[in-house]
């Protein structure tokens, strides 16, 4: 039975729920979602299977809850471009992206989890897909926010289309770095300079002031 969301969880209940989610994050990083069994969750968390079913219903419910918690953690961890509105547009982007990459270097497991989910059949489950989409839409929105003052300050449709393309590229960069970080130990911060050089070159070619 899954605990009803309206009921007040006890401190012990919150602790056991978090223990299961922490175990799931570690196991997915080691084995992938498909390789993680309920018995693995029990061994890793030190809790019986009944606790897992009580809190989450099944293994897919664990994944959905873990993704939801990851979204909340990412939202709290990542700076917003608007936090740097006092800076000139390109410096604003540079400061925001540097801070975001530093945050990812501190917690690379966030994007690794999303990559692990993206390659498995569970990505098509509605509860999983909806949360992953929220995470990615949030990231895309931050890129658009960071790039718009540079390339589309006047809101011209052609310029806004360029911003959308660059936002997709920026998000794809962090996706790829999640893999490089996992396999090759490449840090997110190490690629900040290369991406910003690309942005500055493009801004200069388009005659952007301050490029």
């Amino acid at each position: 039975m899954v605990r009803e969301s309206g009921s007040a969880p006890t401190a012990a209940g919150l602790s056991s729920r978090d223990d299961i989610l922490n175990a799931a994050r570690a196991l997915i990083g080691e084995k992938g979602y498909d390789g993680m069994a309920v018995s693995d969750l029990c061994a890793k968390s030190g809790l019986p299977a009944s606790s897992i079913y009580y809190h989450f219903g099944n293994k897919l419910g664990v994944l959905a809850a873990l993704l939801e918690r990851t979204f909340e953690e990412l939202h709290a961890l990542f700076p917003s471009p608007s936090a740097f509105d006092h800076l000139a547009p390109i410096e604003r982007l540079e400061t925001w992206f540097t801070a975001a990459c530093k945050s990812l270097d501190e917690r690379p497991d966030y994007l690794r989890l999303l990559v692990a989910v993206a390659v498995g059949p569970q990505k098509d489950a509605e509860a999983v897909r909806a949360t992953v989409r929220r995470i990615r839409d949030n990231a895309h929105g931050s890129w658009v926010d960071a790039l718009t003052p540079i390339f589309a300050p006047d809101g011209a449709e052609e310029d806004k289309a360029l911003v959308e393309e660059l936002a997709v590229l920026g998000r794809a960069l962090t996706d790829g770095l999640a893999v490089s970080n996992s396999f090759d130990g490449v840090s997110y911060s190490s690629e900040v300079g290369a991406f910003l050089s690309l942005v500055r070159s493009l801004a200069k070619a388009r005659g952007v002031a301050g490029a």
Side-chain angles (χ1 to χ4, degrees):
M1 181 181 75
V2 183
R3 178 177 56 81
E4 294 183 6
S5 59
S7 60
T10 63
L14 283 174
S15 176
S16 62
R17 192 176 191 276
D18 284 340
D19 287 343
I20 294 166
L21 293 178
N22 291 338
R25 174 173 284 160
L27 288 166
I28 291 172
E30 295 168 7
K31 302 182 174 186
Y33 173 79
D34 292 331
M36 177 184 72
V38 171
S39 57
D40 295 323
L41 280 171
C42 294
K44 192 79 169 177
S45 67
L47 293 164
S50 58
S51 290
I52 296 168
Y53 296 129
Y54 172 75
H55 286 296
F56 306 105
N58 52 35
K59 193 176 84 164
L60 185 60
V62 175
L63 178 62
L66 178 57
L67 287 171
E68 187 64 32
R69 191 179 75 171
T70 298
F71 173 79
E72 294 170 357
E73 291 170 342
L74 280 169
H75 189 71
L77 180 68
F78 269 36
S80 168
S82 62
F84 309 105
D85 282 348
H86 60 287
L87 299 174
I90 292 183
E91 283 67 36
R92 177 178 182 266
L93 167 67
E94 181 174 1
T95 305
W96 166 74
F97 189 40
T98 299
C101 286
K102 181 180 179 181
S103 295
L104 284 173
D105 283 334
E106 293 172 355
R107 293 301 303 267
D109 52 305
Y110 287 147
L111 290 190
R112 287 180 190 170
L113 171 63
L114 295 183
V115 171
V117 170
V119 298
Q122 68 280 347
K123 71 180 185 299
D124 295 322
E126 178 57 33
V128 171
R129 186 169 62 247
T131 302
V132 170
R133 176 49 51 201
R134 285 175 62 209
I135 294 172
R136 297 185 65 74
D137 285 349
N138 186 268
H140 184 82
S142 292
W143 275 107
V144 169
D145 185 0
L147 290 162
T148 294
I150 302 172
F151 295 106
D154 300 324
E157 290 303 318
E158 179 182 352
D159 294 338
K160 288 166 64 176
L162 174 63
V163 166
E164 287 290 331
E165 292 174 358
L166 290 174
V168 171
L169 178 62
R171 193 177 61 182
L173 170 67
T174 52
D175 287 344
L177 284 173
V179 177
S180 295
N181 179 277
S182 182
F183 285 99
D184 305 321
V186 176
S187 71
Y188 295 88
S189 297
S190 67
E191 303 306 308
V192 169
F195 185 79
L196 291 173
S197 293
L198 172 65
V199 171
R200 286 183 179 276
S201 297
L202 181 58
K204 184 177 180 180
R206 295 176 67 86
V208 173

